[in-house]
Amino acid sequence: MDMDIAIRDGLTEARTLARRHWQALLAYVGLGVVLPFLLLSSEPIFDLRTLVAIAADPWTYRVSGSITGPLYLLGIVSLIVSGALLAAWNALLADIREGYISEIMYGLVAGAAYLAVNMILYFGVGIILSLPILLLAAFQPVQNYGIALVILRYIVSALLGSWIYARFCLVGPVMAASGRLEPVSAFAESWRRTRTAWSRLLWLYLAIYVLSGLLTLALLAPHLFILFNSPPGSFAETAMSVGWLLFWAAYFLMLLLVPAGLYRASEGRAAVEVFA
């Protein structure tokens, strides 16, 4: 019998998990959002004022300074976020909780493997998406196609990215629920569990993608206005930083709870076939 995932059941399970484990969620938001936010804030190149200055005068910043430090920091932050996600999924989905220290240790080890495989996957997708543009540029200047090519690329990226999320959204929960350290079998299991539900999951993640983009623009527009019309360190700029922190906390909880709820929704009906 084919397995299936009801989106409504998944979202209901997500709300149930949030109510039941709200203390653990707060702790892992601190680890996976607040700590990375503070770490990135300590590096000047990640300040929005600096990014705007680089965009305005890229040559000046291209020939000075080193990118090694920022890349190293990004790597650490990525590992912390992945570890926090795996630790939180373990807290939410494991049959018996073993405490924060055990969960964090598990998360850091499993999160590193989870991060590595995801980077390989999305790096490959990025190359595939870039190939048509590179081939097109080899024969005619890309400028001839203007904004249409950019829009087309974003549409294809959104659809392809949402489809990948739809098929592999259960990888983290599958790993964490059973305490696995390797993600390859979890990718295969997520692919099987989402076989009949991928079209509904595609629209769910596409809606999340669009909503997240709109919210990002809604925060970015006033932040840029403040940057150009107020001195550094003003109250308005600090308020925008708090706004970004709350946005990333909500996004982290979405990345965490939606797959966890979908996993719980798939578990009862899919358990027999998954291991067949």
Side-chain angles (χ1 to χ4, degrees):
M1 182 178 64
D2 283 338
M3 62 192 71
D4 200 2
I5 301 174
I7 302 299
R8 180 176 297 178
D9 291 347
L11 297 180
T12 299
E13 289 283 357
R15 289 193 294 270
T16 301
L17 288 170
R19 289 194 298 267
R20 186 178 303 164
H21 299 283
W22 64 270
Q23 291 175 311
L25 290 175
L26 286 177
Y28 286 116
V29 164
L31 177 62
V33 179
V34 178
L35 178 59
F37 189 86
L38 294 175
L39 288 174
L40 291 177
S41 298
S42 68
E43 174 58 55
I45 198 172
F46 295 119
D47 185 84
L48 188 57
R49 286 185 180 273
T50 304
L51 295 176
V52 170
I54 292 174
D57 189 10
W59 178 252
T60 299
Y61 288 89
R62 188 180 299 133
V63 298
S64 63
S66 172
I67 197 65
T68 304
L71 286 179
Y72 183 70
L73 183 58
L74 276 177
I76 293 175
V77 165
S78 299
L79 180 58
I80 291 173
V81 173
S82 297
L85 283 171
L86 267 295
W89 277 320
N90 187 253
L92 268 60
L93 300 172
D95 292 333
I96 300 175
R97 286 196 64 185
E98 298 182 4
Y100 287 108
I101 294 178
S102 178
E103 289 164 1
I104 292 172
M105 294 299 292
Y106 164 78
L108 290 177
V109 176
Y114 176 79
L115 176 64
V117 175
N118 272 283
M119 287 180 64
I120 293 172
L121 174 64
Y122 287 103
F123 182 72
V125 170
I127 292 177
I128 293 172
L129 288 176
S130 299
L131 277 177
I133 296 176
L134 295 175
L135 292 174
L136 206 59
F139 296 98
Q140 296 188 46
V142 176
Q143 290 83 351
N144 293 346
Y145 301 90
I147 192 66
L149 186 62
V150 175
I151 293 175
L152 178 62
R153 187 178 187 277
Y154 275 112
I155 292 174
V156 173
S157 298
L159 289 173
L160 185 57
S162 299
W163 178 78
I164 292 173
Y165 266 111
R167 297 312 306 266
F168 297 125
C169 62
L170 303 182
V171 173
V174 166
M175 289 179 65
S178 55
R180 301 185 197 182
L181 295 177
E182 58 84 22
V184 176
S185 61
F187 272 86
E189 187 170 332
S190 179
W191 183 271
R192 289 195 295 269
R193 289 200 183 205
T194 58
R195 182 170 60 239
T196 61
W198 71 265
S199 58
R200 296 192 298 275
L201 293 172
L202 168 65
W203 289 111
L204 172 65
Y205 278 101
L206 185 61
I208 291 172
Y209 181 93
V210 172
L211 179 60
S212 300
L214 292 175
L215 290 175
T216 300
L217 290 176
L219 280 171
L220 185 60
H223 200 164
L224 289 174
F225 177 82
I226 290 170
L227 290 185
F228 289 118
N229 294 275
S230 64
S234 65
F235 174 79
E237 190 171 354
T238 302
M240 286 305 307
S241 296
V242 174
W244 282 110
L245 182 60
L246 293 175
F247 169 76
W248 288 119
Y251 189 74
F252 179 87
L253 288 173
M254 183 277 299
L255 287 178
L256 176 63
L257 288 169
V258 172
L262 294 172
Y263 171 81
R264 288 286 294 270
S266 74
E267 195 175 20
R269 284 171 285 186
V272 175
E273 181 170 340
V274 165
F275 300 104

